[in-house]
Amino acid sequence: MNQLRSKLLALILPMVIVPIMLFGLISSQRIASIAHENIETHILNYASQTQRLIENLLSVGQSNLELFAQHDLITQYALAAENERYNLLHPIILNTFHAFHNAYPEYSEIRFILPDGYEDVRYSNNRRNITEEELNHPAIQQLNRLGVNSTFLFSINPDNQQPVVYFARNIILNDFSKDGYDKKPQLRGYLLLTTSLDELQQHLNRMAADSQIQFMIVDQQHDPLLISQLTDNQDSAIGSWPVERLKHTLKNLSFMTNDAKQYDELHVELMRVVYDIKALPMDNEFLLIAAYPQSLYLQEGSQLQKGLLVLVVLSILILSFFLILGLKRFVLSPLAMLNHATQRIGENNQEVIIPVKTADELGLLARSFESMNKKLLFATKNLKTQAYTDSLTGLPNRLMFHDYLGRLLARSKRNNSQFALLFIDLDDFKVVNDSLGHNMGDILLKSFAQRISASIRVEDFITSSLSEEANDFIARLGGDEFIVVLHDVKKSNDITVVAQRIIQALSQPIMLNDYEHYGSTSLGVSVYPHDGHTMEGLIKNADIAMYHAKALGKNTFQFYSKELGEEQEEINRLEAELRKSIQAKTGLQLRFQPKIALNPNRVGGFEALIRWTLENGDTVKPEKMIYVAEQRNLIVPLTEWIVDEACRQNALWQKNNLIKVPVAVNFSGTHIVREDISEMIVSALTRHGLKAEYFEVEMTESSVIDSSKGILESLEKIRALGMSIAVDDFGTGFSSLSYLSNFPITTVKIDRSFVNKINQGNHSAIVTAIIHMSHALGHSVVAEGVETQEQLDFLVQENCDYIQGFFFSKPLPAHEIEAFLERFSA
């Protein structure tokens, strides 16, 4: 092979390299000269375009300034008395400026400035404002210095350090309601428009991207106003230019004009690279600077490449003529045979015999390919089975499913047919693993796989090529997740029948360690093409439908719908926002609703309620926020933030001698079961110097019952530390006397649904029974949702301990608590 390569190089190099070098030597200088002239022509065209753009910018800005200044409301505002301006006209003129901005969004600021320089009205899309005293504003100073009614000024906006154009105009008017007709008009203020130079900047960027030339607009002192820039995804050498050195060099350069009113071209060396710098006047104030490395035209090779291409083609044709004659028999034909054999080996479906019998390197290579083919056939057969099969259940695995689904999608698109994905997830499978062990969990998975297989027609995918008569398909994706594919479905009822059959089959009992286990499953359905056109979309939507089935109580199935997808997208969006709010501690606020103790009336405590405001100002309902937090495992860090903030605020009230009462915080049942909840609360109390008696743990009645097996020990530990424990929404669940007597509860909170209907049906009797029963067990009672005097009178008569509701106060921000206490004590 080495000898063959040497011979080929010896033939090719003299025929290709020598002509190329001769041609390049003759034509390189001429090509560089032409390229340089083309660059200068482009620069002149760019300068003309830039000049027109600046003139148009100034013309439109001055016209709009005059149009705004003639507006009746500007006249009315300028002549109005101070009280009338601020009490009546100020919001109206702000709305007018807003309308101006909507019609002309290029004006980033519209301002009305009083004669003394005070910025009286400002509408801006930039919230930052360094000063409202604008008498020294350069545009106003220029207006007064020149003694004209209007002017414009290119400058840098001090609020955001961006280049802008200021358009300023005097507002000079007679107030005929006060002055005589012979009185000279007086200065009533200034109208100031601020226009960004984004369009001019984009123009420079486009010129730089198109030409690979660095452009700048500088003033007469060569200070840059705008510099062309390229985006990150544009491949250019401009981004690596020594721009700062170029700016410094420009300060020290002196340009001489020629007869065409153009500045002569200069040559400077920066970082060992020679640059050509050309300056063209825009008007009396600005220059357009174009800088480019000499290599841009010295290495220009468009025409050289064309000549070289012709030479290379001729050389290749001549070379090929001689090479083919000598190499066809000994090299090309054997290589073609080897190439054909390689393609057949790649198909992995038959043994390949290569008809190359020579004793040279190519013959040895052919024998090696034949041996490799035999080994590959054997290994592929074993690997395909292992790679595509789940080792536990013997079903196709995720890899086989993706391969299968990809081919099924292509077939369904071609035949315009439908198919359905049934995403199956076993309910509470983790409980089996945790309580009975993973071996029993594996037995359960095998049994469920067999039952699912018995419920549908399963095809042998490994040997199938997805024929038109392909059967339905089942795979195990991993863990307790299975997926079923139903072919050529005609109507949703066909899917419903299969889904119900699978659920029923998996609901039958199975013996695990002499224990009769009753399992259940949740199932989600997506249908091609209604619910997606891609593999990822169909699987994701079936998964969304499955989780919705779990949310409905499990052991059921759900079809995917657009509403489910939108709900999931909203939950995903809220999850990201909530996670960011918790980490950054922004957007979350606490509201404190007083609990009023009766006989005598006093503030006996507060309940801390969470509120959440998004970055765009929208407020999320607390119920939705808690749902997202619980679904996406954010309830723990959210509750930790609430505990810390509630302790901090209570400690601050006590430090200021405002009030010393407990503050209640709501917890979910799963959170209280956590071993570290008491440590987390004690840590917050210690951090803020607050005693345990001033903290109350509050949880709903349903969460106490649902988590009763694991919650008793946690509640006893919390109670032993000195904190009180309240049961919220009492009466809406099972209202069991056993947990009221067995759990270390200190307070019972009657649900607002009973208080609101206290005079309807038997609700008054229920409220009375709850109060008497709780008192008999030694618990205090809080009535929630009290809004009327009639409700209060009834609860006072029945000796209710505490009242909470809008009758006394809505949930208040912390800074309003002091004012509430003063009103209440008065």
Side-chain angles (χ1 to χ4, degrees):
M1 295 296 288
N2 290 333
Q3 293 178 354
L4 178 62
R5 181 173 59 187
S6 300
K7 292 177 182 179
L8 291 174
L9 291 176
L11 290 172
I12 293 173
L13 290 179
M15 300 178 65
V16 175
I17 295 178
V18 173
I20 291 176
M21 292 177 61
L22 292 175
F23 184 82
L25 182 62
I26 296 172
S27 59
S28 59
Q29 293 183 349
R30 176 56 184 163
I31 291 174
S33 176
I34 295 174
H36 193 190
E37 293 173 1
N38 290 338
I39 290 175
E40 291 188 341
T41 301
H42 287 318
I43 291 175
L44 292 176
N45 291 336
Y46 289 143
S48 177
Q49 296 172 14
T50 305
Q51 179 68 37
R52 290 196 298 270
L53 186 61
I54 293 175
E55 291 174 353
N56 182 68
L57 174 68
L58 297 178
S59 175
V60 172
Q62 290 173 321
S63 298
N64 288 335
L65 176 68
E66 190 64 26
L67 178 65
F68 294 169
Q70 297 299 326
H71 197 282
D72 292 341
L73 186 59
I74 298 294
T75 301
Q76 185 179 359
Y77 190 86
L79 296 176
E82 182 176 354
N83 289 337
E84 183 183 358
R85 284 204 309 269
Y86 293 127
N87 296 331
L88 179 61
L89 296 178
H90 193 272
I92 300 175
I93 198 170
L94 270 178
N95 287 336
T96 302
F97 283 2
H98 179 63
F100 287 167
H101 180 265
N102 287 340
Y104 305 96
E106 62 269 20
Y107 300 126
S108 58
E109 285 184 328
I110 306 176
R111 293 180 281 179
F112 184 85
I113 299 172
L114 296 179
D116 61 2
Y118 180 73
E119 184 181 83
D120 201 47
V121 183
R122 177 179 184 261
Y123 182 87
S124 174
N125 54 19
N126 179 22
R127 296 184 178 179
R128 186 180 181 191
N129 191 16
I130 294 179
T131 179
E132 294 180 348
E133 299 296 335
E134 300 288 358
L135 191 60
N136 293 325
H137 192 284
I140 295 179
Q141 287 186 334
Q142 178 171 296
L143 196 69
N144 295 330
R145 183 178 70 254
L146 298 177
V148 294
N149 285 334
S150 64
T151 188
F152 65 88
L153 176 67
F154 287 84
S155 184
I156 300 298
N157 190 343
D159 294 336
N160 56 17
Q161 300 302 312
Q162 295 298 315
V164 295
V165 182
Y166 292 115
F167 293 96
R169 187 188 188 282
N170 290 329
I171 304 298
I172 301 177
L173 300 169
N174 274 110
D175 188 356
F176 294 113
S177 63
K178 298 179 181 180
D179 305 330
Y181 287 93
D182 56 345
K183 188 171 182 180
K184 186 178 181 180
Q186 298 183 19
L187 176 65
R188 306 294 179 173
Y190 306 94
L191 185 62
L192 191 63
L193 303 182
T194 305
T195 304
S196 71
L197 296 180
D198 291 345
E199 182 179 1
L200 188 55
Q201 178 68 63
Q202 293 172 4
H203 174 69
L204 293 183
N205 295 345
R206 287 194 297 269
M207 293 194 306
D210 292 341
S211 63
Q212 304 299 303
I213 298 174
Q214 179 74 59
F215 288 98
M216 295 184 185
I217 295 181
V218 301
D219 58 19
Q220 293 297 331
Q221 288 73 40
H222 298 176
D223 290 323
L225 180 66
L226 291 174
I227 303 175
S228 61
Q229 300 173 352
L230 293 181
T231 58
D232 294 338
N233 62 349
Q234 288 177 306
D235 184 14
S236 173
I238 291 180
S240 60
W241 279 28
V243 176
E244 292 300 323
R245 293 196 180 186
L246 185 60
K247 290 162 55 178
H248 177 73
T249 302
L250 287 175
K251 293 288 291 183
N252 301 320
L253 291 180
S254 176
F255 295 100
M256 300 298 294
T257 59
N258 55 29
D259 295 337
K261 295 185 178 180
Q262 299 177 7
Y263 290 95
D264 291 335
E265 187 175 81
L266 299 178
H267 309 287
V268 298
E269 182 176 348
L270 299 175
M271 298 177 65
R272 298 182 179 180
V273 178
V274 179
Y275 292 87
D276 288 355
I277 300 178
K278 192 172 185 63
L280 298 97
M282 292 291 95
D283 51 30
N284 294 330
E285 297 186 10
F286 298 102
L287 299 175
L288 176 65
I289 303 295
Y292 51 93
Q294 289 185 351
S295 59
L296 189 63
Y297 57 84
L298 292 177
Q299 296 178 358
E300 176 64 47
S302 60
Q303 295 185 9
L304 177 61
Q305 290 174 0
K306 294 178 182 179
L308 292 178
L309 180 60
V310 173
L311 185 60
V312 168
V313 170
L314 292 175
S315 301
I316 291 176
L317 290 175
I318 297 173
L319 179 64
S320 298
F321 175 76
F322 291 103
L323 288 178
I324 290 174
L325 292 178
L327 299 178
K328 182 176 182 181
R329 180 178 178 183
F330 301 105
V331 178
L332 297 181
S333 294
L335 286 177
M337 295 177 187
L338 287 173
N339 180 58
H340 180 66
T342 303
Q343 294 176 355
R344 293 172 61 195
I345 291 174
E347 297 174 0
N348 286 325
N349 58 6
Q350 59 183 343
E351 186 175 351
V352 177
I353 303 298
I354 305 175
V356 178
K357 306 301 182 182
T358 58
D360 57 11
E361 290 90 344
L362 293 176
L364 294 175
L365 185 60
R367 303 289 78 77
S368 299
F369 276 14
E370 290 176 349
S371 176
M372 179 183 66
N373 173 234
K374 294 177 182 179
K375 295 177 181 178
L376 282 175
L377 287 175
F378 179 77
T380 300
K381 186 176 180 180
N382 293 332
L383 288 175
K384 195 170 185 179
T385 301
Q386 296 175 11
Y388 282 171
T389 304
D390 177 57
S391 59
L392 178 65
T393 63
L395 292 175
N397 61 10
R398 182 185 295 270
L399 179 61
M400 180 196 282
F401 168 68
H402 284 174
D403 191 357
Y404 173 81
L405 186 58
R407 295 192 291 135
L408 178 60
L409 275 169
R411 173 209 169 200
S412 300
K413 291 177 182 177
R414 184 173 62 252
N415 298 341
N416 195 26
S417 60
Q418 297 186 118
F419 66 86
L421 295 188
L422 281 62
F423 198 107
I424 303 170
D425 186 87
L426 308 185
D427 297 330
D428 304 318
F429 177 71
K430 186 176 183 299
V431 176
V432 176
N433 272 341
D434 293 344
S435 59
L436 302 180
H438 289 275
N439 289 336
M440 291 299 102
D442 290 346
I443 293 174
L444 181 63
L445 288 174
K446 291 179 182 178
S447 174
F448 277 14
Q450 293 169 0
R451 294 182 184 187
I452 296 173
S453 300
S455 301
I456 64 170
R457 299 163 296 163
V458 181
E459 70 162 326
D460 181 9
F461 175 71
I462 295 179
T463 60
S464 171
S465 60
L466 193 62
S467 64
E468 295 297 324
E469 296 78 26
N471 295 325
D472 297 326
F473 179 84
I474 175 176
R476 181 190 177 204
L477 299 184
D480 59 344
E481 295 179 344
F482 297 83
I483 199 157
V484 171
V485 182
L486 301 181
H487 288 261
D488 299 324
V489 294
K490 304 300 182 184
K491 51 187 178 180
S492 60
N493 187 58
D494 297 337
I495 305 172
T496 300
V497 170
V498 176
Q500 291 175 340
R501 190 162 65 234
I502 292 174
I503 292 174
Q504 183 178 4
L506 299 185
S507 300
Q508 301 303 314
I510 179 175
M511 296 302 297
L512 298 175
N513 271 356
D514 300 326
Y515 163 71
E516 195 172 44
H517 174 76
Y518 286 86
S520 65
T521 185
S522 298
L523 191 150
V525 181
S526 65
V527 180
Y528 172 86
H530 305 293
D531 301 328
H533 294 83
T534 65
M535 182 186 310
E536 294 78 8
L538 288 167
I539 296 174
K540 182 190 74 171
N541 293 339
D543 189 43
I544 291 173
M546 181 273 293
Y547 275 105
H548 187 63
K550 283 187 179 292
L552 294 178
K554 303 178 181 179
N555 203 34
T556 185
F557 69 95
Q558 282 290 307
F559 283 87
Y560 174 80
S561 65
K562 182 180 179 181
E563 291 74 17
L564 287 181
E566 292 174 349
E567 179 182 349
Q568 190 68 26
E569 289 181 2
E570 182 185 16
I571 291 176
N572 292 339
R573 180 180 62 83
L574 291 177
E575 176 198 1
E577 293 278 359
L578 182 57
R579 192 178 300 276
K580 184 165 61 174
S581 294
I582 294 174
Q583 293 174 350
K585 295 180 174 58
T586 58
L588 299 173
Q589 310 94 26
L590 287 186
R591 297 291 186 269
F592 299 89
Q593 187 169 34
K595 291 190 290 188
I596 307 303
L598 303 177
N599 299 322
N601 287 357
R602 61 181 177 82
V603 177
F606 294 94
E607 179 180 359
L609 301 170
I610 186 67
R611 297 294 184 267
W612 182 28
T613 303
L614 301 178
E615 292 182 351
N616 61 7
D618 293 343
T619 300
V620 180
K621 292 183 178 180
E623 302 83 13
K624 178 169 287 189
M625 176 182 62
I626 297 301
Y627 174 78
V628 172
E630 290 180 340
Q631 290 294 316
R632 299 305 171 90
N633 297 321
L634 293 175
I635 192 65
V636 171
L638 177 63
T639 306
E640 290 176 352
W641 182 88
I642 296 173
V643 170
D644 186 79
E645 181 64 15
C647 291
R648 184 195 67 80
Q649 188 58 57
N650 198 358
L652 182 61
W653 288 334
Q654 295 190 23
K655 180 180 178 180
N656 295 333
N657 296 320
L658 189 62
I659 191 170
K660 289 187 176 183
V661 292
V663 173
V665 174
N666 288 280
F667 289 81
S668 68
T670 54
H671 195 178
I672 293 184
V673 174
R674 284 189 50 174
E675 296 180 358
D676 62 346
I677 180 175
S678 58
E679 296 178 5
M680 180 267 292
I681 298 175
V682 170
S683 175
L685 293 172
T686 304
R687 186 161 52 252
H688 299 291
L690 196 66
K691 294 182 179 179
E693 62 187 279
Y694 296 113
F695 190 89
E696 183 174 56
V697 174
E698 188 171 305
M699 60 186 303
T700 63
E701 177 187 17
S702 58
S703 63
V704 173
I705 296 173
D706 293 342
S707 308
S708 59
K709 293 182 180 179
I711 206 171
L712 178 59
E713 182 178 349
S714 298
L715 291 180
E716 288 177 343
K717 187 176 181 180
I718 292 170
R719 190 71 187 98
L721 292 171
M723 291 172 263
S724 53
I725 301 173
V727 176
D728 197 10
D729 301 336
F730 186 82
T732 59
F734 295 99
S735 304
S736 171
L737 290 176
S738 64
Y739 79 77
L740 281 182
S741 58
N742 295 332
F743 283 71
I745 296 169
T746 58
T747 304
V748 173
K749 301 185 74 173
I750 304 174
D751 186 69
R752 64 178 66 248
S753 61
F754 295 104
V755 176
N756 290 339
K757 301 178 181 179
I758 207 165
N759 292 324
Q760 300 178 18
N762 58 357
H763 286 80
S764 60
I766 294 175
V767 172
T768 300
I770 293 174
I771 294 173
H772 292 172
M773 175 183 63
S774 300
H775 285 167
L777 294 173
H779 305 325
S780 60
V781 180
V782 179
E784 295 183 291
V786 179
E787 299 180 355
T788 66
Q789 183 68 47
E790 186 178 10
Q791 294 168 353
L792 177 64
D793 293 341
F794 177 84
L795 293 168
V796 170
Q797 179 181 346
E798 297 300 327
N799 295 320
C800 183
D801 301 296
Y802 296 92
I803 300 299
Q804 183 177 342
F806 280 22
F807 183 83
F808 287 104
S809 175
K810 64 179 182 180
L812 300 171
H815 65 271
E816 295 183 12
I817 294 299
E818 182 175 1
F820 166 78
L821 294 174
E822 292 177 356
R823 293 194 305 271
F824 186 82
S825 60

